[in-house]
Amino acid sequence: MAKKAAFLFVSSAQLAQLRPRALDSTTCVALRDPPSLEHSSCSQCFLPGRVPAGSPLVQLVESSRYRLCTLNKGLLTPARGLTQGSQNPEKQNVFHILEVRDKLREIVGASTNWRDHVKAMEERKLLQSFLAKSQEGLPPRRMKDSYIEVLLPLGSQPELREKYLTVQNTVRFGRILEDLDSLGVLVCYMHTRIHSAKMSPLSIVTALVDKIDLCKKNLSPEQDIKFSGHVSWVGKTSMEVKMRMFQLHGNEFCPVLDATFVMVARDSENKGPAFVNPLIPESPEEEELFRQGELNKGRRVAFSSTSLLKMAPSAEERTTIHEMFLSTLDPKTISFRSRILPPNAMWMENSKLKSLEICHPQERNIFNRIFGGFLMRKAYELGWATACNFGGSRPFVVAVDDIMFQKPVEVGSLLFLSSQVCFTQGNYIQVRVHSEVASLQNKEHTTTNVFHFTFMSEKEVPLVCPRTYGESMLYLDGQRHFNSMSVPVNLRKDFLVEP
Ligand SMILES: CCCCCC(=O)SCCNC(=O)CCNC(=O)[C@H](O)C(C)(C)COP(=O)(O)OP(=O)(O)OC[C@H]1O[C@@H](n2cnc3c(N)ncnc32)[C@H](O)[C@@H]1OP(=O)(O)O
């Protein structure tokens, strides 16, 4: 049975003498002094309203590690001291998950009410003059300058759990995608921040989810999660961000996910490119990360220039497709028009699932376009359902790669998502989700994103069979994405990550 939360009201002098071990995981400590805070209750706390007016709140959420959360503008902010998994213990920026979007709003001066969004944008125009004329005009930054940690205390703050919960009592991966997107943008604002100014003249958007690899085990909705991230490479206007996610197992935060995103800086109105601060690697490890970032850029260019939309498949790939084609000819008729499915196979077109989203203002980002994390969550959930429908058992996500945000999605758009299985092997299902938008006024559809997800099913799945040349290209593209998965397939036995 869960323990009831208890409160301890102490002065700051008494707090300093408190031993963490004297407190259990459900004890909240409220400071009596200084009495200047305007909040009378803490919305995140177990017992809202019980904290006396004028009391900054301090919550100790775990006994084994000394973690403090102080009340800051109605939100619990984890204070310094969360060092596990940290690369930069001497100087940390640690945020509570609920704080991240508010912090972003504060940095760009975004509206909290939709009715104020035009005014907020007008105000941002004034920041245009703070933009650098060249990259050389900006002070260089170190990787540790952008390093942040974000705590998602699913274990110690159970009221957060609902939003993250699947019916199988695991963590919704779609929600994690949203958090990663916000975290990535905040990391870039840390890298580009102007210490003398509260607001940033930059609009930072997600251009690409290069890779997300899930590297370990189940995500339990009953254990705290921690994210960390920092800028690992910069170009002129783009930044590569490396993020990691950890989950508490016993007393230790163990790595569960690695992600690489590319963010792009735009001017205050999000209309043209804007320069970002150079990055200076400080150690051999950082130099290696930076060099990797440079290689990643080259790899992305190479991958896109050999895209099957631009170039014919390789000789080996052509053979694969031809053999698949031959396996679908009916030996009785040997006619190109009568095609049959090989044993244990399904036509690719029959794997499709589609959905429609109306892009309401609630899903907007700080720049009044639709939040990239929301688009990823919706695409991921449809992709998961597609894999489930195809494989006939629960699929677990293994990798996400190459999600390109080609165009922003305007508030009020109709978002059409179309998902299909494009490649399978053993227990693995490669799903592609294509998203396009149309406005109510203009019926013309424009592609905004293509998403690639790799799932692992509980049992072996059927082969997916392309029927047309176009589907054959999707098959090969799926195979390329599957083969680019960085973690060896045989290590992936104990995954349990669901929508
Ligand atoms: C809560 C807050 C969250 C907020 C975050 C979001 O929700 S954002 C919402 C989701 N995302 C979006 O809506 C973005 C939609 N896409 C776009 O607006 C645009 O495609 C874009 C701004 C990303 C890129 O536009 P352009 O390609 O015209 O820009 P441009 O040619 O000037 O390139 C700018 C820089 O981006 C790099 N770049 C562009 N596309 C890239 C890609 N797929 N992968 C890697 N890098 C890329 C270029 O190399 C260049 O870097 P260098 O200059 O270094 O050489």
Side-chain angles (χ1 to χ4, degrees):
M1 209 174 76
K3 276 190 199 166
K4 242 179 121 196
F7 272 96
L8 220 59
F9 292 98
V10 294
S11 69
S12 50
Q14 286 170 315
L15 179 76
Q17 287 162 12
L18 274 180
R19 298 231 165 261
R21 249 177 285 135
L23 301 159
D24 68 26
S25 60
T26 52
T27 305
C28 295
V29 179
L31 270 191
R32 288 189 187 286
D33 56 345
S36 58
L37 213 82
E38 64 272 32
H39 300 277
S40 60
S41 70
C42 170
S43 59
Q44 303 309 317
C45 203
F46 296 108
L47 299 170
R50 289 283 297 277
V51 183
S55 299
L57 180 79
V58 176
Q59 187 187 32
L60 296 183
V61 287
E62 199 186 89
S63 56
S64 55
R65 290 196 67 77
Y66 191 69
R67 289 208 214 141
L68 290 178
C69 293
T70 54
L71 188 67
N72 172 20
K73 293 194 177 160
L75 289 168
L76 284 171
T77 314
R80 288 161 197 219
L82 271 173
T83 55
Q84 209 163 2
S86 161
Q87 298 182 347
N88 178 24
E90 90 267 10
K91 180 173 178 269
Q92 284 194 39
N93 281 309
V94 183
F95 299 92
H96 188 283
I97 194 78
L98 295 174
E99 228 193 346
V100 173
R101 302 253 329 239
D102 283 350
K103 182 85 190 157
L104 286 170
R105 244 185 236 119
E106 192 183 300
I107 292 170
V108 299
S111 61
T112 40
N113 293 314
W114 175 242
R115 64 168 183 264
D116 300 331
H117 79 278
V118 176
K119 190 167 147 251
M121 263 305 173
E122 286 297 315
E123 282 168 14
R124 272 191 67 71
K125 271 189 197 167
L126 304 173
L127 298 170
Q128 205 76 0
S129 60
F130 292 100
L131 291 168
K133 304 277 179 292
S134 70
Q135 193 175 32
E136 292 69 42
L138 290 165
R141 295 281 150 81
R142 303 162 302 174
M143 289 193 193
K144 63 171 82 153
D145 293 325
S146 60
Y147 181 83
I148 61 172
E149 292 185 355
V150 173
L151 186 68
L152 169 58
L154 290 180
S156 41
Q157 289 178 12
E159 65 279 13
L160 286 174
R161 230 173 262 166
E162 201 85 347
K163 188 176 154 190
Y164 288 85
L165 204 59
T166 70
V167 74
Q168 285 89 12
N169 204 38
T170 58
V171 173
R172 289 174 65 177
F173 184 64
R175 289 288 185 210
I176 299 297
L177 289 175
E178 292 185 318
D179 291 342
L180 286 171
D181 199 25
S182 302
L183 169 67
V185 175
L186 186 56
V187 162
C188 292
Y189 277 116
M190 290 294 159
H191 176 80
T192 56
R193 85 180 132 175
I194 304 170
H195 292 281
S196 55
K198 201 172 154 225
M199 272 165 70
S200 171
L202 299 177
S203 306
I204 294 173
V205 299
T206 315
L208 176 80
V209 176
D210 184 67
K211 200 110 200 95
I212 303 179
D213 279 317
L214 284 113
C215 47
K216 202 166 174 284
K217 286 188 188 162
N218 316 339
L219 294 188
S220 159
E222 277 140 33
Q223 297 295 336
D224 286 1
I225 282 176
K226 188 175 65 168
F227 301 92
S228 68
H230 64 88
V231 170
S232 50
W233 173 87
V234 300
K236 291 268 178 232
T237 66
S238 59
M239 291 161 276
E240 185 191 77
V241 179
K242 293 254 182 234
M243 289 175 278
R244 300 192 83 190
M245 184 172 131
F246 305 85
Q247 184 155 48
L248 203 58
H249 286 281
N251 285 338
E252 236 189 300
F253 273 108
C254 301
V256 289
L257 172 156
D258 282 331
T260 308
F261 283 38
V262 178
M263 308 297 187
V264 169
R266 316 270 296 158
D267 64 23
S268 332
E269 294 181 79
N270 193 3
K271 287 192 174 154
F275 293 110
V276 298
N277 303 62
L279 178 67
I280 300 193
E282 286 194 310
S283 62
E285 291 81 21
E286 291 190 1
E287 269 159 24
E288 179 53 29
L289 273 181
F290 195 88
R291 201 183 62 83
Q292 198 60 49
E294 203 68 49
L295 291 176
N296 287 344
K297 187 179 177 177
R299 175 180 50 80
R300 279 174 217 126
V301 172
F303 200 85
S304 101
S305 59
T306 55
S307 155
L308 293 163
L309 289 173
K310 296 181 189 157
M311 262 179 86
S314 69
E316 197 185 336
E317 287 174 330
R318 285 199 297 270
T319 307
T320 305
I321 290 304
H322 195 68
E323 279 171 4
M324 284 192 98
F325 170 70
L326 294 179
S327 74
T328 64
L329 289 185
D330 186 346
K332 289 194 206 116
T333 60
I334 312 288
S335 157
F336 283 4
R337 279 198 285 171
S338 80
R339 307 269 299 270
I340 53 156
L341 269 177
N344 193 27
M346 192 193 274
W347 291 121
M348 192 182 277
E349 65 188 345
N350 294 342
S351 73
K352 268 189 189 166
L353 284 184
K354 295 187 175 204
S355 76
L356 167 79
E357 298 293 331
I358 301 174
C359 297
H360 294 293
Q362 190 186 11
E363 310 304 346
R364 75 189 186 281
N365 64 19
I366 42 181
F367 314 114
N368 300 316
R369 301 277 180 52
I370 294 301
F371 174 44
F374 168 80
L375 301 173
M376 284 196 270
R377 173 162 66 83
K378 285 294 166 186
Y380 171 75
E381 290 182 352
L382 185 66
W384 184 86
T386 307
C388 197
N389 200 33
F390 183 87
S393 65
R394 268 162 61 189
F396 311 118
V397 64
V398 174
V400 178
D401 86 319
D402 200 25
I403 300 178
M404 215 178 349
F405 288 87
Q406 296 167 15
K407 293 220 162 54
V409 176
E410 302 293 339
V411 172
S413 309
L414 297 179
L415 176 73
F416 297 87
L417 295 173
S418 172
S419 168
Q420 70 191 114
V421 173
C422 54
F423 176 79
T424 60
Q425 184 177 299
N427 288 26
Y428 289 88
I429 307 173
Q430 188 69 37
V431 176
R432 178 183 195 270
V433 184
H434 178 259
S435 82
E436 51 189 36
V437 290
S439 68
L440 289 176
Q441 299 78 23
N442 181 357
K443 305 260 174 338
E444 200 180 306
H445 285 216
T446 313
T447 297
T448 56
N449 300 73
V450 180
F451 304 84
H452 301 275
F453 302 109
T454 312
F455 292 97
M456 189 176 77
S457 194
E458 275 172 339
K459 48 185 195 199
E460 198 155 315
V461 298
L463 284 174
V464 67
C465 235
R467 208 203 281 259
T468 64
Y469 187 78
E471 285 178 352
S472 300
M473 295 306 103
L474 291 182
Y475 182 91
L476 293 179
D477 190 50
Q479 186 181 44
R480 287 182 185 183
H481 281 284
F482 181 76
N483 290 339
S484 76
M485 194 164 60
S486 54
V487 179
V489 168
N490 56 9
L491 287 182
R492 303 180 171 280
K493 291 271 190 275
D494 53 356
F495 276 87
L496 197 59
V497 186
E498 296 185 84

